[in-house]
Amino acid sequence: MMAVEFAVTGAGLRCSVGQDGPRALAAVRAGISRLAEWPAPGSGGEDSVSVAAAAVYPDLGDLGWTEKFADLATQPLLEALASADLGDVASSASQARWGLFLSLPAPDRSGVDPDDASEFERVLEARDLFPFAVPQQTLVRRGHASVLLAVRQAVTAMAEEGLQFCVVGGVDSLLHTGHLAVLEEQRRLKSGDRPVGLFPGEAGAFFVLEPAASARARGARPLAILAAVAAGMESDPSDDSGPNRGRAMASVLRKALARGGCQPAAITKLLVDLNGERWRFVEWALAQDPALAELPPDRVMWYPADSLGDVGAATGAVHVVLASLALRGRHTRGSAVLIANSSDTGERAAACLRAATAG
């Protein structure tokens, strides 16, 4: 159990099925998606492929993620702060000590113009990407697991550096022809003649994390409590080129469940980042049996990518937002949700959130 209890007190989300967190949660719970045909790499010729994608509305177009950043990030960031009753941090008079922990794709990822990437990095370093001053900023660029890795860093920062709260989030868009062409070359896209693969998507998601005692003292009502978070590294390939045995994922699941604040019997819902790629399914199938034996046998698995597509670096933030809102709205039979994320680069992470009213 963590020495200090941390709470999720605000959440915001923009994705293909919702302009805010509550509407997105309702759509995902109902299994709704907005998959639509997207301009495909090689379109118009013999190499044309049919790509189904999950784009936000209004459509942001065929642009790299750096050019979409403001549209994907601003609204959910402000939503998270407002729902945590922290909207005044944007005020020049605010003396709050806080930090932003942000998950982003690698700056040199395919589909981004080098000049655009360079300018984005310059503005990012100057902390000028948001409509207010960000006092402290930490970037994590390790794929699906980035946000849960950022959560670990945020908890440490609050415990050791005296930050009052942290905003954790992720922003990504896979919807650019240049990036899709690389995914297609790697045979990672699901298409009419390839049933195994991912649907590309895009999203921005943020949540506020702070000591639960401090939140309650200022009158905030927590959405959920962070009961546990764990991380590890997989040495086996994170693809179909070798024997992925799921050992690292099994290990981080065990670590998360071993934390005192995470009661296995209370977990009836799991959020996992299965996205249609075979290696993820194989890893999860091998990891869950030894690691989740103590969970209720009728537990439900949730695959948000079925509705939102693969949202890359935003994955973990989307999962935390959905889990927190589901617990706050009592949309789970049990009082806890387990989240598990795997990165292409080998990072594995798991987190357990429990209802704020649970003991």
Side-chain angles (χ1 to χ4, degrees), residues 82-106:
S83 62
D85 293 324
L86 290 170
D88 60 350
V89 300
S91 168
S92 59
S94 174
Q95 299 298 311
R97 295 192 65 231
W98 63 283
L100 174 67
F101 292 76
L102 183 59
S103 169
L104 293 175

Side-chain angles (χ1 to χ4, degrees), residues 49 118 190 228 283 356:
V49 295
S118 178
K190 184 175 293 186
E283 176 181 75

Side-chain angles (χ1 to χ4, degrees), residues 197-214:
L198 62 85
F199 290 123
E202 56 189 5
F206 291 83
F207 55 93
V208 177
L209 193 64
E210 61 183 306
S214 300

Side-chain angles (χ1 to χ4, degrees), residues 15 31 36 71 76 91 105 140 152 192 282 323:
C15 60
D71 287 305
S91 168
V140 185
R152 285 162 52 92
V282 171

